[in-house]
Amino acid sequence: MFGRLQIALALVAFSLSARAQNIPAELLSYPQAIFHNGNILTVNEKFDRAQAVAVRDGKFLAVGTNEEVLRLKGPETKVYDLKGKMVIPGFVATDADNDIIAGNLYKETLIGGKVLGTMKDLKTKRELLDAVKRYVETQPSGESIYIRPPDEAPDIMSMTRADLDPISPRHPVAINTTSFDMVVNTLMLNKVAAATPGGMNHPSIVKDASGKPTGQIYGHAMGVAGWDLRPWPKIDEATLQVQKDMFMNLHKRGITSIVAHTQGYALSVMNALYHRDELTMRVYMAHDFLRQNPNAEAYLRPLGNLVDFGLGDMMQFVGAGLAAMDGNADTGSALTLDPKLRS
């Protein structure tokens, strides 16, 4: 505490000296904000508590008593009286992919270039088919339609392309039934087969007893539909505002940093916010470019090591989100052509 007091007094002395010598104001840097009369948990080794903090350029400049910190006040410093309220370091949310726009893009609802997330009200086959009909009527012929109902809804998981084809003869349609499974109509199935080694014979394209594709796909084939064939969503002012609102909801709960697996679209949104100085959340991300990626090795080899890459201290890569190991049921088939046992 005595050391901080010495620093504070030295800064004050420098400030007075600088004024006396007419040093240009650009060389002086006062805190932008001071918070005093608080109960501040430092969470240092001794778990000290303090009364006040000074903040400059988004970082703590000083922590101490009211007297120590208020001496650092400059002509434009904003001073906030905490009136005894507690201040704590920001919390870290360690599984925040659902707090990022399109945090699971490969399986999100996508209509007309807009990411709409999970359609929580579509719990039955009838509700889902009615929704497909509505979306088909609003989109141009040939426009792909992706829908994500709640995971593992039994009625929906039993669907086949025979359910979808009559209501979507001109639109490729994909329905995510779990994180690893889809049901698609014939138009989408043909696109998937054309982009998949072995075509319709690939083991991740499910067949019925007679050997005909059912429209149910998983693993490698799902990765083709979810990643390679999916149109790139729009990024506009409304999109940016959605992400800002999502972060603000976390801030209200004391969360200032998140750890999440995420993907190129969400990173592009956060990059736009960063360069507009509107990114309020520190983000530590594992890039999902390998998750359900049918061409994982082709992506990985030219990419190089992204760990510790980032934007200032607001965004940093901490790894690659794989979410699969070769040999697993379901997801392992995204990384190999060998058939896997279904779980």
Side-chain angles (χ1 to χ4, degrees), residues 141-153:
S141 179
E143 184 84 8
S144 294
I145 293 173
Y146 289 80
I147 300 179
R148 181 187 180 186
D151 282 357
E152 301 184 17

Side-chain angles (χ1 to χ4, degrees), residues 278-293:
E278 295 177 358
L279 181 61
T280 58
M281 183 71 69
R282 282 186 171 86
V283 183
Y284 300 91
M285 69 211 79
H287 200 312
D288 254 354
F289 62 90
L290 300 184
R291 190 179 189 192
Q292 301 294 43
N293 187 336

